[in-house]
Amino acid sequence: MQPSIIPTRIQSMAAAFLAREQMNFKGQVAVVTGGATGIGRAIALKLADKGAAVMIADINEEAAEATAAEVHEISGNSAIFLTDVTDAAACDGLAAATFDSLGAVDILVNNAGIAGSSGWQSRSFSTEEDWKRTYQVNVIGMANVTLAFKPQMTRRRSGRIVNLASIAGREGRPSLPHYSASKAAVISLTQSTALELARFNITVNAICPGLLWTPMWEQVGRRYANDIPAYKGMNAREVFDTMIADRIPMKKEQTPEDVADTLAFLVSDDAKNITGQALNVDGGFFMR
Ligand SMILES: NC(=O)c1ccc[n+]([C@@H]2O[C@H](COP(=O)([O-])OP(=O)(O)OC[C@H]3O[C@@H](n4cnc5c(N)ncnc54)[C@H](O)[C@@H]3O)[C@@H](O)[C@H]2O)c1
């Protein structure tokens, strides 16, 4: 072998590897519900970084526009569609708008979620409205969006769906029972959808994020401090830090980027044989 050839070969192999790593979703279309803020925003930016065109579907117009602008800077292709996932007709509109503006969807991320109805943070019990509204958004909303995109995806006989569940769906929690139950339902819905769509070469998985210091968790921490004797008198951040110290073997909080990295794997070709799973991104909080 001529020594002079080796660097060139290595260079071209490295370039090919980098191109694959950086742009492995180039030409693909992703939809992220609740993509305007928090975890959804991090997912949108990650998919854009890997080359995907991203549709942001959210009820928060201002934040959706800001995130879509960031996506555009990265991948050069983004759109927004104001969508309340609880409205089935709006979800059909989202599917049609995605097809018209970006093309048929390859990656569907069902991320939009809430922890209760208006005022849940300051209550120490779950109301009927908490149960209804949380189910409407977290479970029925997810089913609405999946149903709306099903014709496009099954026709093409390919695709990836990822649903955002939570470690709160892994077992009953001492507060927010309506939220835990909704996330357990998301894990079940993920399995049913995976079974239904496997014959169309579509994988469906869930991610169960652990403890992330987001505006949503700040509110959860306030509620825990009101509800749970062990956290009485603490502020939300102290509740959060105590839970990390007591419950997380890795002793670190999780970030939206941790969740986005996991999602990027689940929607990649490397995960083509993984379906119906719920993957904890929680530093070892739950080991099942
Ligand atoms: N933050 C955490 O610690 C945590 C932990 C586990 C799971 N999760 C889950 O991850 C997902 C994202 O959480 P987050 O912390 O980024 O929350 P967030 O409140 O920052 O973002 C949720 C997004 O969903 C949008 N949304 C709410 N209702 C909607 C509706 N009806 N239709 C369309 N969009 C709607 C909001 O406008 C917002 O942009 C949720 O499903 C949540 O349950 C979060």
Side-chain angles (χ1 to χ4, degrees), residues 7-265:
T8 319
R9 267 204 194 144
I10 290 172
Q11 268 174 21
S12 65
M13 279 165 64
F17 175 76
L18 276 177
R20 179 176 161 267
E21 282 298 294
Q22 285 166 1
M23 300 300 268
N24 54 358
F25 304 135
K26 194 165 171 55
Q28 295 197 23
V29 174
V31 173
V32 185
T33 71
T37 63
I39 293 172
R41 173 180 165 274
I43 290 169
L45 297 181
K46 181 77 187 184
L47 294 175
D49 189 48
K50 293 198 166 271
V54 184
M55 167 65 88
I56 310 282
D58 207 293
I59 47 174
N60 183 339
E61 184 170 13
E62 200 181 326
E65 273 173 3
T67 301
E70 287 182 278
V71 167
H72 205 272
E73 280 282 301
I74 301 168
S75 75
N77 215 350
S78 68
I80 67 167
F81 193 81
L82 282 187
T83 317
D84 182 341
V85 296
T86 66
D87 178 349
C91 296
D92 289 340
L94 166 68
T98 304
F99 189 83
D100 290 347
S101 59
L102 301 177
V105 72
D106 301 282
I107 299 165
L108 172 59
V109 183
N110 281 309
N111 163 79
I114 58 169
S117 67
S118 174
W120 65 268
Q121 307 86 340
S122 48
R123 284 190 286 276
S124 58
F125 54 92
S126 301
T127 63
E128 185 183 358
E129 209 36 52
D130 285 327
W131 281 96
K132 283 184 178 161
R133 185 69 195 150
T134 306
Y135 258 70
Q136 262 168 5
V137 177
N138 295 5
V139 187
I140 299 170
M142 191 172 275
N144 284 341
V145 176
T146 304
L147 264 178
F149 281 97
K150 199 170 123 183
Q152 282 182 33
M153 298 181 92
T154 53
R155 207 177 304 124
R156 299 174 76 218
R157 303 188 86 79
S158 73
R160 299 274 194 267
I161 300 177
V162 179
N163 298 329
L164 267 289
S166 168
I167 54 165
R170 289 294 193 188
E171 69 172 25
R173 308 293 303 138
S175 189
L176 297 169
H178 59 277
Y179 179 74
S180 287
S182 79
K183 292 300 185 180
V186 167
I187 295 171
S188 174
L189 177 61
T190 300
Q191 293 167 351
S192 299
T193 316
L195 281 169
E196 183 194 351
L197 299 183
R199 70 194 173 93
F200 297 103
N201 189 34
I202 297 166
T203 67
V204 188
N205 292 291
I207 295 177
C208 299
L211 298 181
L212 289 82
W213 185 246
T214 58
M216 182 188 270
W217 216 98
E218 196 170 348
Q219 313 281 14
V220 171
R222 280 202 202 116
R223 177 140 166 172
Y224 280 10
N226 284 333
D227 277 8
I228 302 173
Y231 304 128
K232 280 267 184 262
M234 293 185 184
N235 65 36
R237 183 69 210 198
E238 286 165 345
V239 173
F240 184 79
D241 289 340
T242 304
M243 283 186 72
I244 297 215
D246 291 351
R247 297 296 305 269
I248 298 206
M250 297 295 291
K251 305 289 177 210
K252 315 191 249 266
E253 66 192 77
Q254 289 78 62
T255 64
E257 289 71 28
D258 292 335
V259 178
D261 289 347
T262 303
L263 182 131
F265 164 67

